[in-house]
Every structure is written in C-alpha cells, then in structure tokens.
Amino acid sequence: MFQTIRGTFDVLPATHESGGSRVPGTPAWRHVEAVVRDVMARHAFEEIRTPALEPVELVARGVGATTDIVTKEMFTVERTRETYVLRPEVTAPVMRAYLQHHLGARGGATRLFYLGACFRAERPQKGRFRQFHQFGTELLGTDDARADAEVIANLVAVYAAFGVTGTRLRLNTLGDAADRPAFRDALREHLAPHAADLSETSRQRLASNPLRLLDTKDARERALLADAPRLTDFVGPEAMDHYHALKAYLDALGIAYVEDPTLVRGLDYYTRTVFELESDALGAQSALGAGGRYDGLAEAVGSKAPVPAVGYAAGIERLFLALEAQGVALPEAARPDACLVALGDAAERRALVLARDLRAAGLTVDVALASPGGGRSMKAQMKAAARSGARHAVLLGDDELSRGAAGVRDLDAGTQTDVPLDALAGALTRDSGNG
Ligand code: AMP
C-alpha cells in the first residue's frame, strides 16, 4: 500500500487525523481560501499564480545561497540538462514573473497576492510540513513607507477577518544593503574571541551570513550577543527615516507592534523593514506569517534596474492551528438536497434523467449506487441514501412512474409524501433550509 510521503498530507472531503495533525476537510480549506481572497480583493491586491517548478538558480540567487532553504531544504528535480526546484517560497517567483512580463511597465506600484503550495525538506513536526500552503502579498515598484504599512495592515486584516486574536507583531529594520558590511565586521570582531563557544552552524554563519546569528535560540549564544553591536546602530539615516515613517503609519492605524532588534528573518533578500506575526497558541512553530522589504531582490535575480518592493507570506496550516486553538468552527461538507433511489430498470433510467434535471435546476443531487455484491434492494439503496448525508431520499418505482410522481422521504424527520415529478425541484428546495 502506498502512503503520502513524509511531511505531506491529503486533504479529504471531511476533517481527518494525519501524522498527529488534524487536517481540515476541503470545505474548510475552500472557506479559508475564500476569506483570504475576499480580504485581498478589498485591499486591491490582484491574484497571481506561478508554476510549482522554477529554475533552481532563481531560488539560489533570490532566496540566498547561504540560507537554510537553499543549503538544505530544496526539493530539486533533475531533467536532462536542467535542474528545477519545487518552489520553497513565492516571492522570488513573483519577482521573476513581474520582470518577465514587465508588470511594472505602466509605472506606479503593482499589488499582487498569491495562494498555493510550497515545498521545503524540513523536519516535519506540528505546524511544519514538507508541502505546505502559503498566501501572501507583494507590493512592487514602490519604496514608500506607506507600502510597508499597507502590507502589514493587510496581514493584520486577514487574521481579523477570521477572528484570530492574541497575535503579536514583531518589527525591525535591517537598514540598506550598504549598511550591512560595517555591521557584519563589527559583529565578527565582537564574536571572534568567543568562536569556540559557538555551535558549528553559528561558526559557519559567522563566516557566511553573520546576520543570521542574531536570531539564535541557543541561550549561551544569546548571552554572547547581549552586549554585541546592535544592527540598529548601523542603519543609515534614510533607512531610519523610512522606519520611523512606517511606525507612525502603524500608530495611526492602531496596529500594535513590538520592536525586536533580533528579528532578522531567514531569507537573504530583506532590506529595511522586517516583521513577523506570531501567536502563542501555535506552540513551537509560533509564526503565523512574516515578511519585509526586499529592495535588492530584483537585481539579485538579474534585473538591470532596482525594483523596491515589500510583502509577506503566511502559512495556511498555521492559520488552521490558530483557528483550532480558538475553537472557531469551520464548514464541513454540505449535505446533498436529495439522493435518488430507484427500483426497476425503467425507474433507474428515469432517476438518472431526473438527477440531471434537478441538478440543472440548482439542486445538489446524489444517486444511490450499488456496492459490489450489495444488490439493488430498496433496503440497500436507502442505506446508501442515509450514508450520503442527503436531506431527502427521492423514491422512484414502477408505481410512482406510472403516476408521474416520486416518494419524497425527509431523512431527518422520517416522514414521506408523494410529489408530482414536475413539482419535485420546488418541493426539495423549499424543504432544504432546515437542519
Ligand atoms: P517564510 O517564507 O519562511 O518566512 O515563511 C512564511 C510563513 O509560512 C511562516 O510564517 C509559516 O506560517 C509558513 N511556513 C513556512 N515554512 C513552513 C512549513 N515547513 N510548514 C508549514 N508552514 C510553513
């Protein structure tokens, strides 16, 4: 028997357990996706869909050669001459699409959102999967600090639309790319005498990407960093003005934030603003979503001209965890209005036609079908009708056909009435609102 591979899950019509996680059913996913799309529409973000496969170089350059994603989490796909990657995130692909299709040619800012699967070969655990789903926005072609505020306001609005409370927004500025080298040098200088106390990973990061050291979870390393040079002290005046402007906009919007100088984010492309929305209700994987400004990404992936931009990505599985923790009810499968039960050859043929006509009239209609070896008895079909969850069983036999009618049994109440076939759609619709 084949099974889903580690860190992936099926989404079934009904909610189920998979590898210790509760996987909501497709109606819940559709609901969540619809709410996200609705918020995006009101914020004037337009949907973009990019391929699951991208050139590996796009991700290596876009996300950054020294990041965890690129060094150990990519699912690559080899073809004869090329290597592709299953997208680990969508910002670099959106930037590729923006450049490829000249979406900025009209001038002004371009507001895009996406929703779809991402792939990372991480160690699966609660809230962490190898195929997971992100929604996010990208606001491209503007360095306006109001764009950063708009993106954060959008992130906050999505969780508000779901009634998620108890979240915390962490905020920081990384300054401009030009501000980094001096900080890197100062940090290296500060930590060099303590190299022996650093983990192997941190020693490597000190050499390749010292910013990443700042968000270490290791208590001893945190202590070493307590009196280390602060990134904030190296941020240039322009980036600092941008940051102050953003904070004033957030204040005006009444969006609370906590300034956190250790927030650096795992991806290389960030400049200036970085932020993360977290919730304690999620356990170890506390991040609902995160993002920032990435003014250097376009050039990193081959653009001649810079494209200042800001965006975020948020995990749908994490959103489900937050909703579950708050006991928010999500839709389960809708009940069919009717399930057709037919006795005899003529009635069986008539039932298929009737199903077609009722569906054309807008009703949701199931047909009781025979199981292998189960037979077509009235009893077997009524069992099938009950299993379908339908509100009504519509019974058709020779007797009913000769009268041009059907028996309509209310499967909740157990009552049955005779309804002329041409009045059936109306009768089933009228009765459908209850329960
Ligand atoms: P990142 O692109 O790493 O900033 O991730 C953005 C958001 O995507 C995170 O805040 C999570 O909500 C979600 N996310 C990232 N990686 C995973 C994963 N492996 N499984 C589930 N959700 C994830």
Side-chain angles (χ1 to χ4, degrees):
M1 280 281 285
F2 294 111
Q3 304 273 323
T4 45
I5 59 179
R6 215 161 96 81
T8 71
F9 52 83
D10 294 313
V11 178
L12 303 178
T15 300
H16 76 290
E17 291 286 328
S18 169
S21 290
R22 190 167 167 276
V23 183
T26 37
W29 282 79
R30 278 208 306 274
H31 168 74
V32 162
E33 290 160 5
V35 171
V36 169
R37 287 200 161 89
D38 177 57
V39 175
M40 295 304 180
R42 279 184 284 131
H43 288 230
F45 285 103
E46 291 183 297
E47 184 169 2
I48 182 167
R49 302 185 187 194
T50 63
L53 286 175
E54 290 283 354
V56 71
E57 271 305 307
L58 171 73
V59 173
R61 286 198 226 149
V63 177
T66 64
T67 57
D68 288 350
I69 290 182
V70 172
T71 53
K72 45 187 189 204
E73 295 169 1
M74 290 199 296
F75 282 108
T76 53
V77 180
E78 306 289 339
R79 285 292 296 161
T80 30
R81 276 192 201 83
E82 279 139 302
T83 305
Y84 308 127
V85 60
L86 285 167
R87 62 178 187 195
E89 55 93 65
V90 194
T91 300
V94 168
M95 181 58 87
R96 176 199 49 67
Y98 176 90
L99 297 170
Q100 179 176 339
H101 304 287
H102 309 288
L103 297 183
R106 279 178 310 177
T110 302
R111 305 167 74 100
L112 298 171
F113 86 90
Y114 58 83
L115 200 166
C118 294
F119 307 85
R120 294 183 195 174
E122 299 185 271
R123 193 170 62 77
Q125 51 189 293
K126 189 177 181 198
R128 189 171 286 287
F129 301 90
R130 292 186 157 187
Q131 175 173 344
F132 58 100
H133 300 79
Q134 284 188 340
F135 63 89
T137 61
E138 312 293 354
L139 220 172
L140 304 113
T142 171
D143 59 1
D144 193 328
R146 286 179 301 170
D148 306 49
E150 274 276 273
V151 159
I152 292 174
N154 174 267
L155 175 66
V156 168
V158 170
Y159 292 92
F162 286 103
V164 172
T165 55
T167 59
R168 189 169 48 248
L169 180 69
R170 291 195 295 141
L171 186 68
N172 192 20
T173 179
L174 301 181
D176 289 311
D179 304 333
R180 301 265 174 90
F183 172 69
R184 276 183 203 144
D185 291 346
L187 190 64
R188 282 194 183 121
E189 205 169 301
H190 174 83
L191 289 175
H194 310 284
D197 295 330
L198 299 175
S199 70
E200 177 59 31
T201 317
S202 291
R203 260 200 305 280
Q204 278 167 13
R205 283 182 180 161
L206 189 58
S208 63
N209 190 354
L211 275 192
R212 290 293 316 284
L213 278 175
L214 298 188
D215 63 357
T216 177
K217 304 272 185 294
D218 183 292
R220 199 158 58 156
E221 293 181 355
R222 273 184 182 274
L224 287 178
L225 287 167
D227 60 346
R230 294 217 143 197
L231 177 55
T232 328
D233 297 329
F234 290 78
V235 171
E238 281 181 33
M240 217 23 130
D241 285 350
H242 192 273
Y243 185 54
H244 289 312
L246 169 60
K247 288 193 288 180
Y249 297 136
L250 294 179
D251 293 339
L253 284 164
I255 296 175
Y257 52 84
V258 182
E259 289 181 82
D260 181 350
T262 69
L263 179 66
V264 290
R265 312 273 305 113
L267 291 71
D268 265 3
Y269 49 57
Y270 290 109
T271 52
R272 301 195 172 185
T273 312
V274 286
F275 55 89
E276 194 159 292
L277 189 71
E278 15 171 73
S279 162
D280 291 334
L282 300 193
Q285 306 302 321
S286 61
L288 286 168
R293 178 163 277 287
Y294 47 95
D295 293 346
L297 175 61
E299 287 157 297
V301 299
S303 172
K304 291 208 177 64
V307 180
V310 57
Y312 74 79
I316 295 191
E317 290 79 2
R318 305 275 172 92
L319 171 58
F320 275 126
L321 281 180
L323 293 174
E324 190 185 337
Q326 267 182 241
V328 174
L330 290 167
E332 286 287 345
R335 302 175 66 182
D337 297 301
C339 183
L340 301 196
V341 169
L343 280 178
D345 291 347
E348 281 176 0
R349 284 193 295 273
R350 189 70 183 85
L352 290 181
V353 175
L354 195 57
R356 179 192 66 194
D357 294 345
L358 291 172
R359 288 164 181 160
L363 292 157
T364 305
V365 177
D366 197 349
V367 175
L369 301 170
S371 313
R376 296 168 176 235
S377 70
M378 175 77 167
K379 196 173 156 205
Q381 291 194 52
M382 286 307 289
K383 258 195 192 155
R387 260 197 312 268
S388 78
R391 292 168 202 280
H392 305 97
V394 172
L395 286 68
L396 276 184
D398 291 341
D399 178 42
E400 283 85 0
L401 278 189
S402 66
R403 284 186 284 115
V408 173
R409 179 169 309 173
D410 183 319
L411 289 174
D412 296 332
T415 53
Q416 189 167 328
T417 48
D418 227 37
V419 178
L421 289 182
D422 55 12
L424 204 50
L428 293 170
T429 313
R430 220 175 19 258
D431 288 357
S432 282
N434 49 11

